[in-house]
Amino acid sequence: MTQVPPRKTLTKPTQTSTSAPKKAVRKPQAQASKPASTNAKSALGVADKSNLTPQVNVDTPSQADNKPKANPTPDLLAIKPDALATSLLGAAQAVSYVLDGVALPQALSRVFEQSKAETSTRGAIQDIAYRTMRQVGRADALITLMTNKPAEPPLLYCLLCCALTLLIKEPGVAAPYGEFVVVDQAVNAAASSAQLVFAKGMVNAVLRRFLREQESLLPVAMKQPAALWNYPQWWVDQCKAAYPQDWQAILLSGNQPPPLTLRVNRRQISVADYLQLLEQNAMTARVVGQSAVRLDKPVPVAQIPGFEQGLVSVQDAGAQIAVELLDLQDGMRVLDACAAPGGKTGHILETADVELVAVEIDVKRAERIHENLARLKLFATILQGDATRSNWWDRQPFDRIVADVPCTASGVVRRHPDIRWLRRKTDAAQLSVNAARILDNCWRLLKPGGRLLMITCSIWPIESETQAAAFATRSGAIRLPAPGQLHPTSDGNNDHDGLFYALFEKPAV
């Protein structure tokens, strides 16, 4: 993939001072200076609540004001490991880590390690955390309307965000939990935490007030761009400027849960036979590409038939287009220049008998390539190396090169909803500089008559079409037909992430 760790751009919502998705550093990049500290309310685009109506008079307690003086350590409520309260508290902690600049997958891993949560509870924590990151702009606006002071400590703010996310009704989407169950369990979550027990009454009051007043509160909250679209204001403005006709559909698609799309390993099983295997396991799916099968109902990876045996891999339908564009022939020498975690590497080897070199700068992420190829029963030469340099190269040119260059991952926010809140407006320009270096270096490694495929998972033109046009001009590359910019979409069979493809041929000597 093309994502690099998100920048730390937010502070905890109640403090002044602040990766897709998706991961540890995978390629070198010019490091930007640390952004100035900001208040998370303004980062989310929510105005000062004193200018909004109606006001709901719920004071946010502080620990100092509300701790019983006679009992500085109040008794905490014991909650069951599989209770919704446990999941709410874990999700709130993960969201809190994100507001500190930690990417959501890493935040969840930290919570799981700290809590020793059981598998079923981990699934619920993850589900609530991802839902919340898609609704945090709206939840923030509601909290601003319904409280007279900042919700402190940050864990309290995040618990309210998680609970409100579960209470906000989405058209055509069944609520995951009953309203009063959510309120009761959120109060229990607060009562079980030494940090939040003082605020359990406030949690109860805010959530019950929302249930009573939601028809009047939501229209006021939705006047704020961050609440209406659940993106920072700069993201909305940039999307409008880039895609005047399509910006609304692009933003809405990014707020939808992604499908579970599989890539069938046709070296081991045909698409038709795999569909039969799914049917035998009481699962239904549809074919959405040459090797792409989308499950009608997503399931955990461990429950996907044949996954551990290498029959299938998880890969977005749009990402599977890459190999189709390469026109691979047996015997070719192929470079996957920014290879981790190995999705395209595996797909190339499933398609043709080629000599494949996979380069990845990060040692740990290179291990993931080894793991994925072992599961698929495939082999490649995997090197730790910097794709902007060639000190790892054996001086044997390549027939085909895939350059999945570093980018903001703005096209995969439906899979990594935290990215929108962690990115800065300046990131795309900074990342495009390093991407250009990778393209220029890869061009030197390509045979005359060979082809280079540039890929990004970004929707910003500076990282995609502008980058491709500039590269073609300075390199003299022949530009071949390719899809160009794919907008993220959730429209029936045409369901994929936001990706960009540009295909270049090196002129023969």
Side-chain angles (χ1 to χ4, degrees):
M1 295 301 297
T2 61
Q3 182 182 347
V4 296
R7 309 285 190 186
K8 294 186 179 182
T9 63
L10 295 184
T11 59
K12 292 179 182 178
T14 59
Q15 299 175 349
T16 53
S17 70
T18 113
S19 96
K22 203 178 173 191
K23 307 163 187 173
V25 176
R26 54 168 300 176
K27 311 175 186 76
Q29 62 187 43
Q31 294 297 320
S33 58
K34 187 176 181 180
S37 298
T38 57
N39 181 279
K41 300 287 187 183
S42 60
L44 291 168
V46 179
D48 186 333
K49 67 178 180 180
S50 62
N51 298 322
L52 300 174
T53 56
Q55 287 290 325
V56 184
N57 296 320
V58 177
D59 285 333
T60 304
S62 67
Q63 265 176 304
D65 294 339
N66 290 272
K67 274 188 177 181
K69 292 182 175 55
N71 183 13
T73 55
D75 292 335
L76 301 181
L77 180 68
I79 54 177
K80 295 181 178 180
D82 60 348
L84 176 58
T86 302
S87 301
L88 278 167
L89 199 58
Q93 186 63 72
V95 173
S96 179
Y97 289 146
V98 171
L99 296 181
D100 267 340
V102 179
L104 185 53
Q106 285 70 48
L108 286 166
S109 294
R110 187 182 298 180
V111 169
F112 297 157
E113 183 177 350
Q114 293 169 343
S115 66
K116 309 300 181 187
E118 298 175 356
T119 301
S120 59
T121 303
R122 291 185 180 198
I125 291 172
Q126 178 171 302
D127 176 67
I128 295 171
Y130 271 85
R131 287 175 184 265
T132 301
M133 293 315 303
R134 294 188 181 100
Q135 291 280 355
V136 70
R138 198 161 297 168
D140 180 90
L142 288 167
I143 293 169
T144 302
L145 280 170
M146 293 193 291
T147 58
N148 292 327
K149 300 177 184 177
E152 296 178 336
L155 186 61
L156 173 59
Y157 168 88
C158 294
L159 176 61
L160 289 172
C161 282
C162 291
L164 285 167
T165 293
L166 297 182
L167 293 175
I168 295 171
K169 296 175 181 176
E170 291 293 315
V173 179
Y177 306 96
E179 292 177 344
F180 292 105
V181 172
V182 173
V183 175
D184 175 69
Q185 292 296 295
V187 173
N188 286 351
S192 72
S193 167
Q195 294 185 59
L196 304 181
V197 64
F198 71 96
K200 62 182 182 180
M202 177 264 194
V203 171
N204 184 62
V206 168
L207 297 181
R208 288 185 179 274
R209 187 62 185 257
F210 172 73
L211 291 181
R212 291 195 303 271
E213 304 287 343
Q214 57 186 303
E215 290 187 4
S216 60
L217 286 169
L218 280 169
V220 177
M222 298 287 267
K223 292 179 181 179
Q224 304 301 319
L228 178 61
W229 298 108
N230 279 298
Y231 292 86
Q233 181 65 57
W234 70 263
W235 192 299
V236 175
D237 293 342
Q238 195 161 290
C239 196
K240 279 184 182 180
Y243 307 105
Q245 305 301 319
D246 304 311
W247 66 274
Q248 292 173 313
I250 291 171
L251 294 178
L252 288 173
S253 178
N255 286 328
Q256 302 302 312
L260 180 57
T261 305
L262 307 176
R263 184 188 75 241
V264 177
N265 182 356
R266 293 190 292 174
R267 282 190 181 273
Q268 295 196 38
I269 189 171
S270 69
V271 172
D273 287 345
Y274 187 72
L275 290 175
Q276 290 185 357
L277 179 60
L278 289 176
E279 187 176 351
Q280 292 167 11
N281 285 269
M283 296 182 184
T284 56
R286 67 183 71 180
V287 178
V288 292
Q290 288 184 3
S291 303
V293 171
R294 191 177 73 221
L295 297 186
D296 292 336
K297 183 178 180 180
V299 297
V301 171
Q303 297 178 20
I304 298 174
F307 179 83
E308 290 299 330
Q309 293 75 34
L311 300 186
V312 290
S313 299
V314 177
Q315 189 179 42
D316 182 74
Q320 295 186 40
I321 294 173
V323 169
E324 300 170 16
L325 295 171
L326 288 172
D327 187 26
L328 294 169
Q329 305 296 324
D330 290 349
M332 281 184 169
R333 194 162 195 260
V334 181
L335 170 65
D336 190 351
C338 306
K344 295 179 183 66
T345 306
H347 196 187
I348 289 169
L349 293 169
E350 291 169 6
T351 303
D353 292 320
V354 299
E355 178 190 350
L356 180 60
V357 177
V359 174
E360 171 58 42
I361 192 170
D362 185 83
V363 177
K364 291 184 178 179
R365 286 174 55 76
E367 281 300 316
R368 292 190 60 192
I369 306 174
H370 283 286
E371 293 167 1
N372 280 322
L373 293 187
R375 182 180 59 82
L376 295 170
K377 302 177 179 63
L378 298 170
F379 173 80
T381 300
I382 302 171
L383 303 175
Q384 183 202 357
D386 182 343
T388 67
R389 304 175 65 186
S390 55
N391 56 344
W392 47 266
W393 183 40
D394 63 3
R395 300 300 183 266
Q396 298 298 312
F398 295 95
D399 299 285
R400 298 287 186 268
I401 297 178
V402 178
D404 193 351
V405 296
C407 70
T408 56
S410 52
V412 294
V413 290
R414 64 178 186 171
R415 298 185 187 280
H416 303 277
D418 52 317
I419 288 173
R420 69 192 81 185
W421 304 113
L422 294 172
R423 282 293 179 201
R424 296 181 304 178
K425 185 177 181 179
T426 56
D427 285 347
Q430 293 166 347
L431 288 165
S432 66
V433 172
N434 195 58
R437 292 176 182 149
I438 292 173
L439 292 172
D440 290 344
N441 185 55
C442 287
W443 192 245
R444 297 191 306 107
L445 315 183
L446 188 65
K447 287 181 180 179
R451 295 180 180 182
L452 184 152
L453 179 63
M454 170 193 161
I455 309 170
T456 77
C457 56
S458 174
I459 59 172
W460 305 136
I462 192 173
E463 298 183 284
S464 51
E465 179 54 42
T466 301
Q467 176 82 272
F471 171 73
T473 298
R474 67 178 179 267
S475 67
I478 300 169
R479 198 152 174 193
L480 301 177
Q485 186 67 61
L486 298 177
H487 296 170
T489 178
S490 303
D491 181 19
N493 285 336
N494 191 27
D495 193 328
H496 53 71
D497 294 333
L499 298 156
F500 176 82
Y501 288 102
L503 184 63
F504 306 97
E505 183 172 284
K506 195 169 190 175
V509 176

